[in-house]
Amino acid sequence: AATMAEKQLKALARQKKNRAVTHALDPLLESLCVTYDCTTDLSKRIYQVFLICDSEDQNYLTFDLMREGFRKLDLKPQVHLSKEDYESITEGFLEDPVREVVPLEVFQRIFRRQINLYVQRTVADAVAMANAGPEVAAVLSALKLILLSDESKTHYRPDA
């Protein structure tokens, strides 16, 4: 007989499989979230993504370089970055995303922010599951509150 935890894990896997990609970067964010061990490891993985996108070795990215770099990643589904997605993820980091470039330091902050938002969405999905017990829902709700309270630390503010 499957334990309650096993049933909940299977339900989460089914929900994840059936869930549409809610954000263009979700396949990449999921890959980063699953594979890193610590904050240093996460920084290295984000740096690897930056290097793949920086095909011209300019030490900065533009929308076109980022879009093409994401297409090179072996992800399913593939990341398709639109101009609107780019403007959304760079909001608060660049004053003029069309003209400005994204250096590595800003790329790191952008991705840490996007990972935080991805985890918030994932936790919200898990909390919304009808068959999650009250204990699991309480723990996930507490985690979501912690993530939301930590949000100001992951969002770059030029005036800070």
Side-chain angles (χ1 to χ4, degrees):
T3 67
M4 182 66 154
E6 289 171 332
K7 288 178 184 176
Q8 289 171 346
L9 284 174
K10 286 179 182 179
L12 278 171
R14 273 194 312 276
Q15 180 187 17
K16 182 178 150 188
K17 184 178 178 183
N18 295 332
R19 180 174 51 128
V21 173
T22 57
H23 190 279
L25 295 180
D26 279 1
L28 174 55
L29 298 171
E30 178 182 2
S31 173
L32 289 170
C33 285
V34 169
T35 58
Y36 81 93
D37 297 334
C38 62
T39 189
T40 302
D41 186 42
L42 178 60
S43 292
K44 288 177 184 176
R45 291 176 190 281
I46 294 171
Y47 178 63
Q48 290 169 344
V49 173
F50 181 87
L51 290 177
I52 289 168
C53 293
D54 186 20
S55 59
E56 298 174 8
D57 293 327
Q58 297 178 343
N59 294 318
Y60 64 79
L61 300 177
T62 61
F63 164 71
D64 291 327
L65 287 171
M66 209 178 288
R67 183 184 62 203
E68 293 306 314
F70 291 162
R71 286 183 183 163
K72 294 177 189 175
L73 300 172
D74 184 26
L75 297 169
K76 295 209 177 15
Q78 192 175 35
V79 175
H80 296 284
L81 187 70
S82 69
K83 276 249 193 237
E84 293 79 21
D85 296 325
Y86 179 76
E87 289 172 4
S88 173
I89 67 170
T90 59
E91 185 178 345
F93 296 95
L94 302 177
E95 288 183 28
D96 184 359
V98 175
R99 294 197 167 107
E100 289 183 72
V101 296
V102 179
L104 175 61
E105 311 82 58
V106 175
F107 189 78
Q108 284 276 350
R109 289 194 297 258
I110 287 170
F111 263 81
R112 287 180 178 277
R113 168 76 173 141
Q114 291 304 312
I115 287 169
N116 185 290
L117 294 172
Y118 171 78
V119 171
Q120 287 179 30
R121 288 191 302 272
T122 304
V123 170
D125 288 348
V127 170
M129 281 183 46
N131 62 351
E135 298 85 5
V136 172
V139 170
L140 292 173
S141 294
L143 177 59
K144 185 176 179 186
L145 286 172
I146 291 168
L147 289 168
L148 290 171
S149 71
D150 196 48
E151 190 171 318
S152 64
K153 297 174 189 170
T154 61
H155 189 58
Y156 173 68
R157 293 183 316 257
D159 58 329

